[in-house]
Amino acid sequence: MAEEILRIENLHVSVEGTAILKGVNLTIHRGEIHAIMGRNGAGKSTLANVVMGHPAYVITEGSIFYKGQPLEELAVFERARAGMFLSFQYPAVIPGVQVGTFLKKAVTSVRSEAPKGRAFRKELTAAMEQLSMDKSFLSRYVNDGFSGGEKKRLEILQMLLLKPNLALLDETDSGLDIDALRIVAKGINEVAVDSACMIITHYQRLLDLVKPHYVHAMINGAIVQTGGPELALELEDRGYDWLDVTA
Amino acid sequence: MTDEAQDIIGDYRYGFHDPENSTIRFDQGLSEQVVRDISELKNEPQWMTDIRIKAYRHFVERVMPEWGNCDLLDQIDFESIIYFLRSSTKTEKSWDEVPDDIKNTFDRLGIPDAEQKWLGGVTAQYESEAVYHSIREDLEEQGVIFLDMDSGLKQYPELIKKYFGTVIPHSDNKFSALNTAVWSGGSFLYIPKGVSVEMPVQAYFRINAKNMGQFERTLIIADEGSSVHYVEGCTAPTYSTDSLHSAVVELIAMEGAKIRYSTVQNWSSNVYNLVTKRAIAYKNATIEWVDGNIGSKLTMKYPSVLLKGEGSHAEVISVAYAGEGQHQDTGAKVHHLAPNTTSNIISKSISKKGGRSSYRGLLQVTPKSTGCRSKIVCDALILDDDSRSDTYPTMEIGNSTADLEHEASVSKVSSDQLFYLMSRGFTEDAAMGLIVNGFFEPFTRELPMEYALELNKLLELEMEGSIG
Ligand SMILES: Nc1ncnc2c1ncn2[C@@H]1O[C@H](COP(=O)(O)OP(=O)(O)OP(=O)(O)O)[C@@H](O)[C@H]1O
Ligand SMILES: [Mg+2]
């Protein structure tokens, strides 16, 4: 069996005293793509954020392991350096920091050595071409004034450069036009071959392009149903009410 | 200001001190007798003694400012301050003659090195008086006068009598009164008509003793069509008791002259830095204040320009950093008093770890000042929840032909920004540093290249002397 990358056990999480996640269990191995679907507010982003270590989210019970190591021991930047990556649903704006500078510094931090100038430029140019991103992005400020779709492309660009072992993709498809969706999906597939991938999405259209091995339905902070790709189709067809015991 | 900005936010590197080897040291405390003693010690002309006494009496009567950080101001204990301390009997022309301890200190601060590389003259003041002074021969030959103020008064009493206190009268505020009463050291700089001084001249102010009060007095006169760039730096040891630095700086730019006055203030966090700086610009003259405030406990400083002559121009560019236990209350005042005058004010501040920064600005446009233009941009960045930033802009606009622009912003580093950067492998400090650099980026872009280089150079100079 492939290497276990992420294991989440009975995870309970609260934000400002309110319980959001209520006993999540999930294991992802290298090479696997897991899709997480669920209503707005179900706790999907909370799950991704808490795995990455966002300080606002408090684990009240349960644990998370990355490559067998309990994650609470690792600071956010150490998680990134260990190969974890989160593509944000709402990427932050960093005024005054040029994309080019940011990417170089991020790659330097994660690889813990500065990439060679020319090799890095080549790598960067190739990745940007693949994502149909114009060079002019490099001198713009990180996410400042970016359209929704441009932000998502920048997230995927970072993923391509950082080559994570665990990719958490939070609604990376939302805001993308049809062409961009295809381009981004290709990027995800490339990275997914050799990493563990958790894709949060509301739409089947991404899952047509990035085939998940497992689909999980999250209701009220817990995974209530797990299946193959057919579960996504069923959810798209029937919605979430049939899974919601409280409804 | 790229990675330097990040470095500044590190620990204070100039907090060391030398053993105190004073030749004359007044007891702590202030009285009319102390003022008379200072004047007598310096063998001053009677008129200067009289000005001092008048100023002292005004200081005693004058109440503390009732604005700004009153809590901190009220904590100043004027009786615990030493008002005069002489540590070297002479102002030397060669570093080799300067007492070893003191020379070492300036070496560690990188002054002789900078002098070699890019300065046209240097005055190094240690406690109350200059211990070293030099000016390049070619400047002297062109008639440039660059002296410490005490020597200036001895050698050019008439010039000083004519201009001393004309830009900033002793009664301007409580601290200008104090400075006028007990001033010692500072620079006197005169640039003759038409002379352009290409290399900057520098004054460096170092406080060494505990409870020291440093009251330097600077007067710069740029005669018609001349230009000069004056740079000052300052540091002090870190002590648990307070020190007081209260300077008065007067600039006069005659017709068509240009003065740029650059400061990087990096006092230790037990120094009160209460400084009055004002300039007069005559016809078509230019005054530029470039001001970096990094250190001190409380700084109150609002470089001012009186645009008196038609077509004169003012630039006030300032950067303030308020860290733990610091309050940078800084700003700019520009008075448009003549037609077609222009001004440009840019202020950037950062507050961190409970630090507080305030921007206090005054823009005055009189009815006479037709066709004037002014642009003010002030931006503040707050790095955490404990820190604070306030803006107090005042505008007195007395005529409708003025073309005015005012932009202000206060932004706060959000936990989402930090989380975003940290999720890309940045440590918290590196993430902060990147955000701080980003905050300065448009500033260094907007600025003419020379200012950007200038601020960088000044900050580098600060860093070069990095100790431990
Ligand atoms: N920082 C926070 N402060 C307060 N409440 C929060 C915070 N983060 C999440 N919540 C709440 O937790 C719940 C789950 O939010 P989460 O963002 O995980 O939902 P989601 O499943 O990603 O929804 P969507 O599909 O809309 O993105 C919501 O009710 C949300 O308001
Ligand atoms: Mg979400």
Side-chain angles (χ1 to χ4, degrees), chain A residues 15-16 20 38-47 56-57 89-90 170-171 200 202 218:
Chain A
V15 180
E16 286 163 15
I20 310 280
R39 291 194 190 107
N40 296 135
K44 305 179 297 296
S45 295
T46 301
L47 179 63
Y57 299 87
Q89 183 176 2
Y90 305 110
D170 192 356
E171 298 200 21
I200 296 168
H202 289 292
M218 181 180 270

Side-chain angles (χ1 to χ4, degrees), chain A residues 49 52-54 76-77 80-81 85-86 88 93 95-98 102 105-106 109-110 141 143 155 158, chain B residues 3 6 414-428 434-435 437-439 441-442 445:
Chain A
N49 278 309
M52 201 67 212
H54 195 299
V76 180
F77 74 92
R81 292 176 186 190
F85 178 84
L86 170 60
F88 285 73
V93 176
V97 177
Q98 294 184 339
F102 165 70
K105 289 197 176 210
S109 308
V110 168
Y141 299 149
N143 293 316
E155 294 296 286
Q158 293 174 55
Chain B
D3 288 340
Q6 205 168 313
S414 69
S415 58
D416 285 335
Q417 285 174 313
L418 283 177
F419 178 58
Y420 186 74
L421 292 174
M422 291 193 282
S423 80
R424 300 310 188 237
F426 295 88
T427 61
E428 184 165 352
L434 197 62
I435 293 171
N437 284 342
F439 174 70
E441 217 274 346
R445 269 198 184 188

Side-chain angles (χ1 to χ4, degrees), chain B residues 162-220:
Chain B
K162 184 169 171 196
Y163 292 108
F164 188 96
T166 55
V167 185
I168 303 170
H170 70 270
S171 57
D172 188 78
N173 65 73
K174 189 169 175 78
F175 293 94
S176 64
L178 178 63
N179 174 280
T180 309
V182 298
W183 74 266
S184 184
S187 301
F188 173 58
L189 177 58
Y190 171 81
I191 316 296
K193 275 185 195 170
V195 172
S196 285
V197 179
E198 303 296 337
M199 293 176 101
V201 295
Q202 190 190 41
Y204 200 96
F205 299 95
R206 175 76 181 173
I207 290 178
N208 182 63
K210 220 172 146 167
N211 295 321
M212 186 60 202
Q214 195 177 55
F215 306 95
E216 89 267 9
R217 178 91 189 191
T218 289
L219 172 63
I220 299 178

Side-chain angles (χ1 to χ4, degrees), chain B residues 152-163:
Chain B
L153 178 61
K154 283 205 175 71
Q155 295 177 34
Y156 300 93
E158 291 313 311
L159 258 179
I160 299 218
K161 192 174 180 183
K162 184 169 171 196
Y163 292 108

Side-chain angles (χ1 to χ4, degrees), chain B residues 12 14-17 20 25 28-29 64 72-73 75-85 127-128 175 178 205-216 234-247 265-275 295-300 325 327:
Chain B
Y12 189 68
Y14 308 106
F16 65 91
H17 64 92
E20 195 191 310
R25 181 192 208 275
Q28 289 162 295
M64 272 289 190
L72 280 183
L73 280 177
Q75 283 169 33
I76 300 175
D77 178 7
F78 291 102
E79 289 311 303
S80 74
I81 299 290
I82 299 166
Y83 288 84
F84 185 83
L85 204 162
E127 317 292 23
S128 297
F175 293 94
L178 178 63
F205 299 95
R206 175 76 181 173
I207 290 178
N208 182 63
K210 220 172 146 167
N211 295 321
M212 186 60 202
Q214 195 177 55
F215 306 95
E216 89 267 9
C234 21
T235 57
T238 307
Y239 290 117
S240 55
T241 58
D242 295 328
S243 304
L244 174 60
H245 173 257
S246 191
Q265 173 272 109
N266 197 1
W267 294 114
S268 51
S269 55
N270 55 303
V271 175
Y272 280 89
N273 183 45
L274 310 167
V275 172
S296 84
K297 176 179 194 164
L298 170 65
T299 283
M300 292 173 80
H327 185 175

Side-chain angles (χ1 to χ4, degrees), chain B residues 34-53 84 86 129 148-154 157 160 164 179-185 215 217:
Chain B
V34 165
V35 175
R36 285 186 195 282
D37 289 347
I38 291 173
S39 191
E40 194 185 319
L41 197 75
K42 292 173 181 286
N43 259 321
E44 287 179 345
Q46 187 59 41
W47 61 265
M48 182 55 84
T49 314
D50 294 344
I51 291 179
R52 287 182 181 272
I53 295 300
F84 185 83
R86 176 174 288 169
E129 291 175 327
D148 64 277
M149 195 60 158
D150 296 292
S151 307
L153 178 61
K154 283 205 175 71
I160 299 218
F164 188 96
N179 174 280
T180 309
V182 298
W183 74 266
S184 184
F215 306 95
R217 178 91 189 191

